[in-house]
Amino acid sequence: MAVMADQCPGINIKVVDIDQKRIDRWNNLDNSDLPVYEPGLEEVLTRVRGKNLTFTTDLEREIGSADMVFLSVNTPTKNYGYGAGQAADLSYIESAARQIAEYGKGQTIVVERSTLPVRTAEALQTILKQGNGDQYKILSNPEFMAEGTAIADLQNPDRVLVGGQCSESVEELASIYRNWVPNNRILRTNVWSAELSKLTANAFLAQRISSINSIAALCEKSGANITEVKQAIGADTRIGSSFLNPGPGFGGSCFKKDILNLAYLADHFGLMEVANYWRSVLELNEWTQHRMAQIVSQKFYGTLRGKKIAVLGFSFKANTNDTRESPAIELCSKLIQEGAHLCIHDPRVTESEIKRELRKNERHRSFGSYQYEQELNSAVEDAHAVVVMTDWDEYRRLDWATIANKMQRPGWVFDTRGITNLREAAANGLETWEVGCGDLQ
Ligand code: UGA
């Protein structure tokens, strides 16, 4: 919404939430405590906040006076009842829809921004009918931005997707995007295609990562090198070179949830083979996450008791403080369970967030422990191993001479992202392992 306000000075945008504390943080002018960290967001926000972008909890007034309402609420995986662990929990969408039905007055266009199961628009229509039913037109306008690059993705999107049955409303929303997006990048579809395209785009991206991670494991065994294989296949324009980086498995709030959702949908329509195909992408991802901890443990002959291990990076990817489904959670929990003492460093994730995630994942019997380290140099002090988990830029430029000096011997470096200069680490007396390459020969 900040980007939209920036590109459309003539449109008044009100961001409404029921959480007063969260709204206060968005309204805090010094920007030191914004609810999300996103490069470039502060600059955009500073230009528009208080002008044509305001944050408030006054649902009744803002819904009542809006021409268009964007629904951007959480749709986590359901953890109770029918479809538990697979289907999307639509309770937030439902209660937001009920509020629109209660407070909406004029000819309102309701835009689904949250990622939703196919045919949610139908359910929304039913709820809205309980208010002034016919006044609402429902559009699906799914979001394709990625965390860490969200501002650039929104300012210059590959495409914008607007799905709807009422072409007048579709054009109304398209005309907003035309303020900064070329018309030929604004795709118009029916509402179900838009909903399904969002799930499919994420499923295809996740499938690419599982595919490359499966080949990375094969490279380690066969003597092939994943960087070379990646280059060779990416040069084929039909395959393309992006989204082919091997790693510790994908994380983030979307891929797993959306694939579970897609599989659930396929099951619902009796397409078991389709559901199983997509579930296998998740299974490979879980296996990849376990595999990283297993490799670390094997290099220490299966005993991590008394070993100090520095974990570099806890967010699910670089340039975000988001830890949802981060592969670091699984790795850390496993290593603690095996008796290691971890020193966890991340440039953006806070100590309390790390604690919250690890507490959720606590196993019955753990022999090890962990602590948060703000300084990278303290995290590696006396460490038996360093595990690079997130592709933060600062980990690409690690000074291995200094780090090696601080570490124990034998000292190991595990690069689960293939981003650090392992030759330099080896030249300074460390043993090294890299995803898709294995031990440095
Ligand atoms: C993803 C999609 O990329 C967005 O298009 C989509 O809008 C978004 O989900 C969403 O549905 O909200 P995001 O989860 O923010 O965006 O981040 P990605 O860049 O897709 O990365 C996801 C995970 O895959 C991360 O853990 C990342 O490290 C991993 N990854 C990504 C790899 O392991 N290798 C790659 O080559 C790329």
Side-chain angles (χ1 to χ4, degrees), residues 38 115 142-149 153 159 198 201-202 205-206 208-210 212-213 230 241-255 257-258 285 315-318 320 322 324-327 389-391 416-417:
E38 192 59 50
T115 306
E143 183 47 71
F144 295 108
M145 70 184 181
E147 288 182 34
T149 53
D153 293 346
R159 78 317 205 174
K198 169 66 197 186
N202 273 357
L205 291 170
R208 266 176 91 88
I209 302 171
S210 278
I212 201 73
N213 283 338
K230 192 177 90 173
S241 59
S242 53
F243 248 72
L244 281 184
N245 294 322
F250 58 76
S253 66
C254 302
F255 284 173
K257 163 175 82 81
D258 291 352
N285 195 54
S315 58
F316 79 97
K317 63 185 266 195
T320 176
D322 196 340
R324 285 175 290 176
E325 302 291 340
S326 174
M389 284 301 287
T390 309
D391 47 344
T416 70
R417 297 276 184 173

Side-chain angles (χ1 to χ4, degrees), residues 216-238:
L218 199 54
C219 283
E220 291 159 25
K221 299 280 183 204
S222 65
N225 177 316
I226 195 66
T227 311
E228 292 170 358
V229 173
K230 192 177 90 173
Q231 205 177 1
I233 63 166
D236 185 328
T237 50
R238 293 168 306 172

